[in-house]
Amino acid sequence: MKGVKLKIYGLLFVLLMVVSCKKEVVKTTDIATQKANDLLAKMTLEEKIGQLNLRGTSSRQKTLPNELKQAVREGKVGAFLNVMKTEYVDELQKIAIEESPNKIPLIFARDVIHGFKTIFPIPLGLAASWDADITEKSSRVAAIEASSVGIRWTFAPMLDIARDSRWGRIAESPGEDPYLASKLGEAYVKGFQGDSLNDPTSMLACAKHFIGYGAAIGGRDYNTAIINKELMQNVYLPPFKAAFKAGSQTVMTSFNETNGIPASGDKKLLQEILRKQLNFDGFVVSDWNSVTEMIPHGFAKDEKHAAELGLNAGLNMEMTSKSYEHHIKELLSEGKISESQLNNLVVEILKVKFRMGLFENSGRNSKASKLYAKEHLALAKEAAIKSSVLLKNDKSILPLVKKTKIAVVGPLANKPREQLGTWTFDGEGQHSVTPIKAFENNNTNFSFTEGLSYSRDKSEVQFKKTIQNAKNSDVIVFIGGEEAILSGEAHSRANIDLPGAQEKLLKELSKTGKPIILVIMAGRPITLTNIINNVDAVLMTWHPGTMGGEAIYEMLFGIQEPSGRLPVTWPKTVGQLPLFYNHKNTGRPVIPEKFVQMDSIPVGAWQSSLGNTSHYLDVGFTPHFPFGYGLGYTSYMYSNLQVSTQKLTNTNQIKISVDVKNTGERDGEELVQLYVQDVVGSVTRPVKELKGFEKVKLKSGALKTVSFALTVDDLKYYNSNLKYGVEKGDFNLWVGNNASNGLRSGFSYE
Ligand code: BGC
């Protein structure tokens, strides 16, 4: 009896908590909206239009035109991007809050993508860490530094699923997998926005690019995306859903069209999917000129039509182009948009400004001294180590022993600016620790001959000297890859081999017989087929950021172990792209034993497709390195896969456990990955989907049982009727250390 009473009281308490928590949420939302509506009532039409205006200055423009100040004075600007000088930020904000008609504060935005001054690895690199904690911490640091100069809105995280390494912006992406991207998206938002939006060190996040930007045909930037409804729901939207759930208050429409409609004018996308399905409660910003770019897209006939399409779609704020400013009045008077539509668009922006506390405190956080703070640099080094993926390590050539005599070679060994990577407007090369600097700082036994002066360099003038240097050493450490400018926006490549004469130099160096360690700094996977056999080890560091050199030094000498794992499938050749592990099956799935390589086909063979599957005659069906792959400095054994029940129901949970043993001589960190396949669906399902991962630290010889739990919620997907749920049937599961291996088991859902 007592137990029952207690239970009832318990229940009542929980109910009360739920009700009062709900109230709390509603209350804060209401206050911001209410304040926004009150303010709206006092605003002139010009001011309303002004709030929809995101005015840009180019990142290279260092002066502040008077015309801009006047526009602010008249309430004609809602937000700014790329005001590069802090004094100008202060000056513009002062004008806005003291002189503009309703004293509405501005928001200052910038692309603070992977750090502000202290630069972290590029986002694709951070994704390789598979580490939400370091992702959150590094974006918190970015926010602390950027907010100190008045930037309270970043155009990040980029959450475009990217499956084609030709695409330059893969560098900025979370990789190819929606599950991993969702975890990282959530972490980025939490880090940027901090505990509370109205904390002066908080920076508004902007989930971008909505939607399908990473699915550009052929990896050509800005290009058409064709995404069916099911893939849209199951692959492209989930990271955005996660970012909104984590509180992202803004979202950016993408440049591209998806299925024939440019995102900035896609009413269905912005209203039905974004607002209704995903419950997005902030405001939508266009990409740079993406409203007026609907004209060359062939979707808007002129600037006025572009504005009409954007406004009717529900796009709140126009970045840089001025179609709203030029045409809203006319569109209103012609009844092409209504006053209440305009009011809604304005309120959605104002309420975010209220949530940010800008009306009470529009100034900067004054922690300017925190730029490049010691703890920021330490975190940047840790992130670079956690992001680096060891792809090859023959005969355990790595780690090196300290006294090894090293010939350091390569165009990126001492390029402070290049190691920062794409989207680093504010990063400063003079603060970078290059590998050469780190070797010097740590009294390493090395001599340096660059060999090539930049990554695309084709000149062989330095070869002789470089080879001589190599001959006098025990080991060659070649630090190459891509300069920062070879990836990022509008920097796609059709050939993703090492550029310039790097391959040639590597081949020449390999003739010395000295072991070669290839360290790659790049914005994307680099095809290595031509030179993989000429090198003994490959360490992919992406563009590692400010502390890249120190991180590389520590990894090469085993002070730290590279613990990154691939967030994208690494191709053998560009001809395989797009390439991703979670593809669908065909009616003729690959049968490895039956694969006949092109050179083994008899001359004059009779035309037949029999026995062949979905593969390439020349390179087969496997990538160079699978998704999830990466080596460490020790080895592991997986055993004893246990599944708690063979039958999943709506109420139970499947517990999956596996024993992982460090069988090597060094302590290490392993990324244990869980993949599931829904064998039959009303719409075909991927061959595998990542459903969980855990990093475990294991001492040499130690064994740990790693566990995962799955419920129906983890298996839900959008089926052929776009219904979200699970269908009855069988599931396979694998636990392993990349997408192409693992111990296998299964269960069914009834
Ligand atoms: C990019 C966006 C970026 C914006 C502002 C555009 O070219 O596509 O991602 O946020 O510029 O710099």
Side-chain angles (χ1 to χ4, degrees), residues 81-82 110-111 113 155-156 158 169 172 208-209 213 222 252 255 286-288 319 423 425 489:
L81 80 149
N82 295 345
R110 186 103 109 242
D111 292 276
I113 307 293
F155 298 131
M158 198 251 241
R169 293 194 88 169
E172 203 190 332
K208 71 186 190 186
H209 304 84
Y213 186 41
Y222 311 127
M252 185 186 293
F255 284 127
S286 78
D287 203 342
W288 186 286
M319 188 194 292
W423 283 122
F425 290 143
E489 184 175 347

Side-chain angles (χ1 to χ4, degrees), residues 514-536:
K514 305 284 178 182
I516 301 180
I517 292 149
L518 170 62
V519 178
I520 304 175
M521 294 186 186
R524 56 162 67 78
I526 297 292
T527 40
L528 298 171
T529 303
N530 298 337
I531 43 106
I532 193 77
N533 294 330
N534 300 106
V535 301
D536 300 82

Side-chain angles (χ1 to χ4, degrees), residues 202 239 262 345:
S202 157
L345 293 172

Side-chain angles (χ1 to χ4, degrees), residues 15 78 387 422 622 656:
L15 266 173
S387 300
T422 186
T622 51
I656 299 142

